[in-house]
Amino acid sequence: MDTNITSRINAREIYDDAISQGITSLLLEEDESSADIFWFKLRNLHNKGEANVSMGLVTKLDIEPDGKVKFTLPTILNPRYSPSKGHH
């Protein structure tokens, strides 16, 4: 079996076991329809519990002609065409 698939199955089993034991649990899964959409699942966060979630972005930096590095924070990470929402 593919190592990546095995890792996903193991992660899901650990998550499910923790949920069944009432342990606060977190799982990040890739959407089946797109490799760049993820689902973040947090379960059993107890009353008055607290969770801090951080996200990171890895991107190639452009080098300007003068040798300086330029970083532009994207306002949209990956735009998608969605005909049901319409475009103006």
Side-chain angles (χ1 to χ4, degrees):
M1 183 179 285
D2 182 352
T3 305
N4 195 23
I5 293 172
T6 303
S7 296
R8 289 179 188 186
I9 292 170
N10 289 342
R12 171 52 89 168
E13 288 173 354
I14 292 168
Y15 174 76
D16 290 340
D17 288 345
I19 288 172
S20 68
Q21 295 174 37
I23 298 170
T24 301
S25 307
L26 172 109
L27 181 67
L28 180 71
E29 291 185 304
E30 186 178 82
D31 190 286
E32 293 177 9
S33 65
S34 179
D36 63 349
I37 297 175
F38 299 91
W39 295 98
F40 176 82
K41 298 177 182 183
L42 176 63
R43 295 279 306 269
N44 294 338
L45 185 62
H46 300 289
N47 188 26
K48 297 187 181 180
E50 191 174 298
N52 294 313
V53 178
S54 298
M55 292 181 60
L57 170 68
V58 177
T59 186
K60 179 181 174 186
L61 296 176
D62 295 323
I63 299 176
E64 299 291 308
D66 62 1
K68 292 181 182 177
V69 177
K70 179 180 179 181
F71 172 74
T72 304
L73 182 64
T75 56
I76 298 175
L77 296 178
N78 193 12
R80 287 184 168 70
Y81 172 71
S82 180
S84 63
K85 293 181 183 178
H87 284 272
H88 304 288

